[in-house]
């Protein structure tokens, strides 16, 4: 397995974890099923840990990681500190839950967590913006990373939700989900446009490669179909009783697969301006 | 400021690979890894009207080195003489610097699990010597020195060549300092990485994603 | 700073050896690749300790560049160039730098070994040097007694072996006329012979460290023609360096080369000639130069034999002795235009005469022409248009090249390319004629120069004297192929295809014992497969080399030879003399200079009279008696400089003559104190003998090279160059089936068959490429990087396709290759991808010296399904051959 797999999983799990906690935070303000608070937060922290674990897998010398503390500008510092802070926040939230803290406290902690999770999701993408790799040299990239988390949040929210959602809530949720997927779709299109307009054009990072080259299956099947179209259809289906979370789980898995596909594609496209060796 | 770097005269380079092997000997570089590698650019054109030159590649000793910027531990740093170095003791092997380098000029040492690159033979130059590749080069096509000092050999070589014959690799804001000299009469400089550089034929370059060591 | 050399190696030490035996499938006690585990020395003992720098000289190719070897606790840890060496000036090429990986290669031959399994099974047992020498001596004595000494033959490497006279000497002492090396007729001999006969000076090969004028501090040369030579690859650190230097000073270059080499890419004019057709182009150059009056008429008249009259029937020059009663046989006759009569021309010149350069004349009832006229007649058909057609060139480009060439001083460096097809000596003659008639002779900027030598070696590059007088007339007459191809007598070698034929047919007698002292004969001999049946017919084969090669697989005894870092030698470079000195010594390896003398000693002790004579100082005289140590030989060699080897290596590199005194021009004009006349050239007439009557004489008698007059060759050699279309060519029948013309040329990371086991070099070039033009590739269904089959009438082999514009659509290029990693498979490493499976070693041969066809024959190329089995292509695969350093060992007792 190539080196990028660790990073693919790292960023995908982080998106999923961040999204999950976003859903928990949302939940806090909408005030429903208290049972999902605990399981949602635990799921989020597990997903983030999986992400963190993946990223450590990728290091040659994880034992020297503390050296990173002294260099707060690096992407890794941002990523790991954001993971740390987000996780800390989630733990605080869990502790607060355990101690039956007041709703206000919980809401406050959760809100901070949502913001941190969003920053985390964005930061993980942001550290790939590099002049060295024209395919990565765009703000669209972290925005896509952020939107992955948001889309994941939408479905996670659906999973956590009580079976009987009010009509209003149901419409809001559905619209938000579709909106998120739409934004995602727009970002993906923007990304392909970005790819095809670089100063140092090369087939390895071309729209042709994405749309009809060796990356086409990954793009059309993984990113477009599984990552966006199927989740959108699942969001549109009017669920039978009790099947809401089943559909949402399927959708979330699709989103995760879409995230992995996108990241894989991104690594394949991420060739440097020259490659000496 | 001081900015030590290499200047390579492609009009002189005869593509003999001596620099590559000299570097391997001097720096004990692992099989399949390189601090410098000689690429063949061309032949361009149609038989028998052809152009070709060799491009010995090394770290471009960037002024604004992105590899340094992304390094989380400070293992990659810009030394006082302008050279970009790696403190292997500090390196966590995250390989972000490899991703940040526009030229794939760094390699991952699978054995030590750290990243390494051309050191401009600091251990030799510190004691007044020349880099191993510079010394070995049969065509005397390689020069080492302070490009910010107009009196240095590298500055003189660049000045003698005339601006239109001095080239550098694409700048992505990193401001490479290595300079290549090539006159049009010999061959047209290829600003964009050519499709085939012969060595790919035996050994395709290994991108970060496809890195054998990953 | 890290202690670079040792870390990784220590790490690999443990895995290395298992890797080798694993990879080679060895489970033998003492296989070709000895189980080194038990023998591995402690690599760490090299850490710490002082670095000592030893001055020595590289021998990874024939260029001898100066080296500074860094030695720590007796182990070589680093190599760099020695700035004092005048030709390489401290630079070093990839092959030289890889010296440590060759020296400490885990796959070295470490001890003498005797075969215990069947031939080809690669089962060996270690024996002592004493036993090895005794066994060899017994076999030799036995064979001589039963079948005559000629039933023993030896072979060696020519390209890289600084002392094949060692072999010649041993053969002369033992009494066999038969030894060969794969270069010789195919390398350099055609040129050394021609320049010697026509000029009496060295040929113009840069790769062979000649064309010394190029290294002059301020050479006046304006145009350098690189004809079938690519010095950036064949001698990067010397020739490649100086060529770059010259180009940067504005010297213009022409490259006549089918392959778009670095030197072709930098040339002002590139002529991608059809392989094997050079002489046609050369004749057109001569014609152009004469027709357009670009030649130096005055020089031609005064300093060449072209104005001399030649009998059109006998082809011999008219001598004064035949014209006038008191005439001298070394005085030749011209046609005096004033008196309209034939007149002897007293050396050097007779102001009273006005010799005709052209014309046909009647002298005493016989028809005579001047040499010049004959040359003119000979080149007449070769217009530029005609040559362009034959050679696949554009007429305008040829003319452009000529325009550069005629603006002298210019010079043509003739490389090995033309030595490798049957038109070999004719090519050499043409170039010698061209530079001579242009007057590019011994003047500033000319390549034809005679510079003094140190006097320590005779001939100038070999420390071991051949001692030809040891070989009797009877035995000389038995030299295989040398009666027909008498050019071979210059080097004293046998003709390879004739030796092969003798082995296969027992005619005129059966060669039975083979001592081979070089690398992989299957990689370097033409039509390698033709040797397989021969090997079955040879009773005993000993192979002496640094590591096992394909050839070892067929041997009965293996002897460990020293690497260049372990040997001593004298090296001349310009006005300097250098000492290649042993930097260390490993295992039980032996310098061959000693090996042959030790073997001769055994034979002498066993009563071999000639070998006994070879130890007799009085009898041997200038040929030196055999030596017991290297120092003995080297001391004797250094006598003319009144210095011992021990003293010398402290001073080496040392000027044997001040540069200005050494750097002479116009040697031919120097006055001979004895005669008061110019010394002229080193030919019988003291003129440049461009009408090559000496070739005729050589063919009829063997003079001036044979120790005894020999019977004539079946046909007279031609005194002038002629063009012969390659026997296999695109228009011949064979061209229908095999449409592409194959050629070869050097690569900068290997020397002949060597260094295929050096990781640093194999990772640059793991498998041989075949260059093919996109047009041809398309036609034959080949794409970039495809594995392909390459096939000739003689066999087929594989290669990796490099589709490139750098070669003509009708030509392909490939180099020799073999694979140490598949030594123990059925192929023994030489069949997979080796251009010499395809090359041609049958007639027609070059008449004068017997050259066969290594370049310019027909092949076809088609896609293969897969890579050949078992060959290594990935850098990491070469890890088992990373150096496994060992402490110095004493010289083996024997
Ligand atoms: N198809 C094809 N075939 C060719 C050629 C070609 O271009 N194409 N080239 C031809 C030419 S030009 C040549 S010269 C031959 C070369 O053929 P060989 O000379 O037989 O080739 P090697 O043995 O591989 O190389 C010469 C050897 O000399 C060794 N050497 C170094 N020092 C000594 C020493 O002191 N004694 C001895 N005995 N050896 C020493 C080197 O290690 C090296 O192994 O191949 C010929 N074969
Ligand atoms: N690296 C390296 N250096 C070596 C050697 C080695 O094996 N490797 N061998 C040494 C020895 S023994 C020798 S003889 C010298 C030889 O050194 P060079 O004389 O430089 O020989 P090559 O490179 O074999 O051939 C010269 C060029 O001839 C071209 N050529 C091929 N066919 C033809 C033809 O028909 N006509 C013409 N005009 N050109 C043709 C080839 O493409 C090649 O570029 O190199 C010596 N140096
Ligand atoms: S791999 Fe090492 S040098 Fe490179 S960025 Fe990471 S810590 Fe810095
Ligand atoms: S070339 Fe690459 S490794 Fe070298 S300084 Fe620039 S970014 Fe860093
Ligand atoms: S300067 Fe030193 S480290 Fe850099 S490429 Fe040259 S030899 Fe290698
Ligand atoms: S050593 Fe010099 S001439 Fe040879 S490839 Fe390197 S830069 Fe070019
Ligand atoms: S050219 Fe290279 S291989 Fe040949 S002697 Fe010089 S350094 Fe050694
Ligand atoms: Mo040769």
């Amino acid at each position: 397995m190539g080196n990028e797999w660790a990073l693919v999983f790292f960023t995908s799990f982080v998106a999923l974890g961040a999204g999950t906690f976003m859903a928990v935070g949302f939940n806090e303000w909408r005030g429903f099923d208290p049972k999902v608070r605990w399981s949602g937060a635990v799921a989020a922290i597990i997903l983030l840990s999986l992400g963190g674990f993946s990223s450590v897998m990728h290091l040659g010398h994880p034992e020297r990681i503390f050296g990173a503390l002294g260099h707060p500008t690096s992407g890794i510092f941002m990523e790991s500190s954001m993971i740390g802070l987000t996780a800390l926040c989630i733990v605080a939230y869990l502790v607060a839950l355990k101690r039956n803290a007041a709703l206000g406290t919980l809401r406050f902690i959760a809100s901070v967590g949502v913001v941190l999770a969003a920053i985390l999701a964005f930061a993980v993408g942001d550290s790939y913006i590099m002049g060295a790799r024209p395919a990565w040299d765009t703000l669209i990239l972290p925005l896509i990373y952020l939107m992955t988390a948001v889309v994941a949040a939408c479905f996670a929210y659906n999973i956590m939700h009580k079976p009987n959602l009010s009509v209003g809530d149901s419409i809001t949720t559905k619209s938000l989900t579709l909106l998120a997927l739409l934004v995602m779709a727009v970002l993906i299109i923007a990304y392909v446009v970005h790819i095809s307009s670089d100063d140092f054009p090369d087939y390895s990072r071309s729209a042709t490669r994405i749309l009809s080259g060796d990356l086409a299956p990954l793009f059309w099947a993984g990113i477009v179909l599984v990552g966006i179209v199927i989740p959108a259809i699942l969001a549109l289906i009017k669920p039978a009783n009790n099947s809401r979370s089943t559909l949402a789980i399927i959708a979330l898995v699709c989103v995760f697969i879409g995230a992995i596909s996108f990241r894989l594609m991104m690594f394949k496209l991420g060739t440097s301006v020259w490659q000496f060796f | 400021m001081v900015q030590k770097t290499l200047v390579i005269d492609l009009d002189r380079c005869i593509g003999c690979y001596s620099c590559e092997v000299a570097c391997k000997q001097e720096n004990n570089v692992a099989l399949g890894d390189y601090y410098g590698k000689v690429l063949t650019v061309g032949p361009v054109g149609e038989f028998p009207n052809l152009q070709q030159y060799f491009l010995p590649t090394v770290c471009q000793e960037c002024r604004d080195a992105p590899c340094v910027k992304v390094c989380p531990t400070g293992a990659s740093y810009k030394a006082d003489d302008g050279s970009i170095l790696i403190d292997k003791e500090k390196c966590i092997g995250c390989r972000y610097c490899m991703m940040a380098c526009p030229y794939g000029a760094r390699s991952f040492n699978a054995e030590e699990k750290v990243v390494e690159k051309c050191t401009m033979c600091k251990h030799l130059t510190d004691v007044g010597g020349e880099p191993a590749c510079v010394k070995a080069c049969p065509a005397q096509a390689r020069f080492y020195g302070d490009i910010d000092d107009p009196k240095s050999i590298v500055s003189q070589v660049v000045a003698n060549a005339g601006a239109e014959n001095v080239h550098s690799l694409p700048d992505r804001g990193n401001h490479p300092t290595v300079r290549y000299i090539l006159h049009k009469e010999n061959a047209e400089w290829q600003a964009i990485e050519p499709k085939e550089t012969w060595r790919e034929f035996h050994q395709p370059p290994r991108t970060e994603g496809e890195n054998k060591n990953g | 700073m890290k202690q670079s050399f040792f870390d990784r190696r220590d790490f690999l030490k443990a895995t290395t050896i298992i890797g080798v035996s694993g990879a080679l499938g060895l489970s033998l006690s003492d296989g070709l690749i000895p189980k080194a585990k038990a023998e591995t020395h402690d690599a760490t003992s090299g850490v710490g300790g002082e670095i000592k720098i030893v001055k020595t000289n590289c021998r990874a190719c024939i260029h001898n560049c100066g080296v500074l070897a860094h030695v720590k606790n007796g182990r070589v840890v680093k190599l760099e160039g020695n700035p004092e060496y005048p030709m390489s000036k401290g630079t070093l090429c990839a092959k030289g730098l890889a010296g440590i990986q060759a020296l400490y290669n885990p796959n070295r031959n470490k001890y003498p070994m005797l075969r215990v399994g069947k031939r080809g099974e690669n089962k060996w047992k270690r024996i002592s040097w004493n036993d090895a020498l005794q066994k060899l001596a017994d076999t030799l004595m036995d064979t001589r007694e039963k079948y005559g000494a000629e039933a023993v033959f030896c072979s060696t490497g020519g390209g890289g072996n600084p002392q094949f006279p060692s072999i010649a000497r041993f053969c002369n002492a033992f009494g066999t006329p038969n030894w060969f090396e794969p270069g010789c007729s195919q390398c350099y001999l055609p040129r050394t012979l021609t320049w010697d006969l026509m000029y009496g000076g060295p040929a113009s090969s840069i790769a062979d460290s000649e064309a010394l004028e190029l290294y002059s501090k301020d050479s006046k040369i304006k145009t350098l023609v690189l004809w079938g030579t690519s010095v950036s690859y064949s001698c990067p650190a010397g020739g490649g360096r100086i060529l770059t230097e010259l180009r940067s000073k504005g010297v213009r270059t022409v490259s006549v080369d089918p392959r778009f080499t670095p030197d072709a890419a930098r040339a002002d004019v590139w002529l991608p000639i059809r392989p094997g057709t050079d002489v046609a182009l050369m004749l057109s150059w001569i014609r152009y130069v004469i027709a357009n009056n670009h030649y130096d008429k005055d020089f031609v008249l005064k300093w060449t034999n072209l104005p001399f009259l030649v009998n059109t029937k006998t082809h011999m020059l008219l001598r004064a002795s035949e014209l006038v009663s008191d005439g001298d046989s070394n005085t030749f006759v011209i046609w005096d235009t004033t008196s309209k009569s034939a007149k002897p021309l007293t050396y050097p010149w007779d102001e009273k005469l006005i010799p005709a350069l052209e014309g046909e004349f009647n002298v005493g009832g016989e028809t005579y022409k001047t040499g010049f006229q004959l040359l003119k007649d000979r080149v007449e058909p070769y217009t530029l248009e005609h040559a362009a057609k034959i050679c696949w060139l554009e007429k305008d480009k040829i003319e452009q090249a000529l325009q550069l060439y005629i603006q002298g001083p210019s010079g043509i460096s003739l490389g090995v390319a033309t030595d490798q097809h049957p038109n070999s000596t004719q090519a050499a003659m043409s170039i010698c004629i061209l530079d001579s008639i242009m007057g590019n002779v011994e003047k500033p900027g000319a390549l034809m120069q005679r510079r003094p030598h140190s006097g320590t070696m005779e001939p100038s590059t070999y420390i071991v004297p051949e001692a030809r007088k040891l070989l009797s007339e009877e035995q000389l007459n038995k030299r295989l192929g040398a009666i027909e191809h008498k050019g071979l007598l210059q080097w004293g070698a046998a003709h390879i295809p004739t030796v092969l034929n003798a082995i296969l047919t027992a005619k005129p007698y059966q060669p039975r014992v083979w001592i081979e002292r070089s690398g992989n004969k299957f990689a370097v001999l033409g039509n390698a497969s033709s040797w397989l049946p021969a090997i079955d017919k040879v009773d005993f084969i000993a192979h002496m080399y640094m590591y096992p090669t394909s050839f070892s697989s067929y041997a009965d005894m293996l002897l460990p030879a020293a690497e260049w870092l372990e040997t001593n030698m004298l090296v001349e470079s310009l006005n300097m003399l250098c000492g290649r000195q042993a930097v260390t010594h490993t295992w039980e390896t032996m310098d061959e200079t000693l090996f042959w003398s030790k073997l001769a000693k055994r034979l002498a002790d066993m009563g071999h009279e000639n070998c006994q004579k070879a130890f007799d100082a009085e009898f041997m005289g200038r040929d030196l008696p055999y030596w017991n140590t290297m120092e003995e030989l080297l001391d004797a060699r250094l006598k003319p400089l009144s210095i011992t080897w021990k003293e010398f290596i402290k001073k080496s590199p040392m000027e044997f003559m001040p540069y200005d005194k050494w750097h002479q021009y116009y040697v031919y004009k120097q006055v001979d104190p004895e005669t008061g006349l110019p010394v002229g050239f080193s030919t019988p007439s003291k003129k440049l003998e461009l009408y090559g009557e000496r070739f005729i004489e050589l063919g009829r008698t063997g003079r001036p090279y044979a120790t005894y007059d020999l019977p004539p060759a079946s046909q007279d050699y031609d005194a002038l160059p002629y063009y012969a279309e390659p026997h296999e060519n695109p228009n011949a029948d064979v061209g229908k089936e095999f449409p592409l013309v194959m050629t070869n040329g050097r690569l900068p990371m290997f020397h002949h068959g060597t260094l295929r086991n050096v990781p640093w070099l194999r990772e640059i070039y793991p498998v041989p490429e075949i260059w093919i033009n996109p047009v041809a590739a398309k036609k034959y269904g080949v794409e970039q990087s495809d594995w392909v089959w390459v096939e000739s009438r003689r066999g087929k082999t594989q290669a990796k396709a490099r589709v490139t514009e750098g070669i003509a659509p009708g030509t392909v290029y490939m180099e020799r290759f073999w694979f140490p990693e598949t030594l123990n498979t059925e192929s023994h490493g030489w069949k997979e991808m080796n251009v010499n499976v395809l090359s041609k070693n049958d007639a027609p041969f070059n008449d004068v010296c017997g050259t066969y066809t290594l370049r310019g024959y027909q092949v076809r190329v088609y896609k293969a399904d897969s890579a050949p089995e078992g060959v290594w292509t990935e850098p990491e695969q070469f890890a088992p051959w990373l150096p496994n350093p060992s402490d110095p060992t004493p010289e083996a007792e024997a």
Side-chain angles (χ1 to χ4, degrees), chain C residues 310-314 318 360-369:
Chain C
V310 181
N311 185 319
T312 54
K313 240 190 247 130
T314 64
L318 182 58
E360 182 181 306
F361 311 97
N362 189 307
V363 183
E366 305 238 17
T367 312
Y368 288 83
K369 283 183 179 180

Side-chain angles (χ1 to χ4, degrees), chain A residues 58-60 64 74 76, chain B residues 66-77 85-88 90-100 106-108 113-116:
Chain A
H58 148 84
L59 297 181
R64 298 179 189 161
S74 75
I76 282 212
Chain B
C67 54
V68 170
K69 274 191 227 153
V70 301
C71 179
T73 61
S76 282
Y77 65 101
L85 296 169
I86 300 169
D87 180 347
K88 288 188 179 182
K90 285 192 190 162
C91 175
I92 57 171
C94 68
R95 282 164 274 186
Y96 271 90
C97 52
M98 291 176 75
M99 291 189 236
R106 299 180 155 229
S107 358
F108 186 66
K113 293 199 164 35
V114 292
V115 167
E116 51 187 25

Side-chain angles (χ1 to χ4, degrees), chain C residues 55-184:
Chain C
K55 290 179 189 175
T56 186
N57 287 80
C58 179
R59 194 62 194 189
C61 89
I62 56 183
H63 221 56
N64 295 316
C65 302
V67 167
L68 299 177
H70 296 228
V71 188
K72 203 178 192 182
N73 295 343
R75 293 178 175 192
V76 190
V77 294
K78 174 170 161 177
L79 300 176
E80 51 178 353
N82 182 356
E84 292 167 291
Y85 191 77
M87 287 163 93
S88 57
K89 292 247 161 99
T91 69
L92 215 55
C93 86
K95 302 181 296 302
L97 285 160
I100 294 179
Q101 294 209 336
L103 175 70
Y104 293 128
N105 201 297
N107 156 8
R108 294 264 329 247
N109 284 334
K110 294 169 181 157
Y111 318 102
M113 297 214 269
L114 198 63
R115 177 169 63 78
V116 289
K118 283 200 295 249
R119 263 201 194 155
E121 230 183 4
N122 278 341
K123 284 198 178 148
W124 305 88
K125 81 165 189 241
R126 177 177 168 182
I127 55 173
S128 67
W129 263 111
N130 184 42
D131 290 352
L133 283 167
Q134 199 52 50
K135 163 108 183 119
L136 258 182
D138 288 343
T139 311
L140 292 181
M141 288 302 269
D142 215 42
T143 308
R144 183 177 80 135
E145 193 161 310
K146 282 199 200 125
Y147 310 105
E150 66 274 14
V152 172
F153 66 106
C154 297
S155 60
T156 184
N161 173 359
Q163 48 157 319
F164 52 79
S166 248
I167 294 250
R169 178 187 177 97
F170 175 80
C171 288
N172 291 339
F174 180 71
T176 174
N178 296 321
W179 67 272
F180 66 80
E181 61 101 349
C184 197

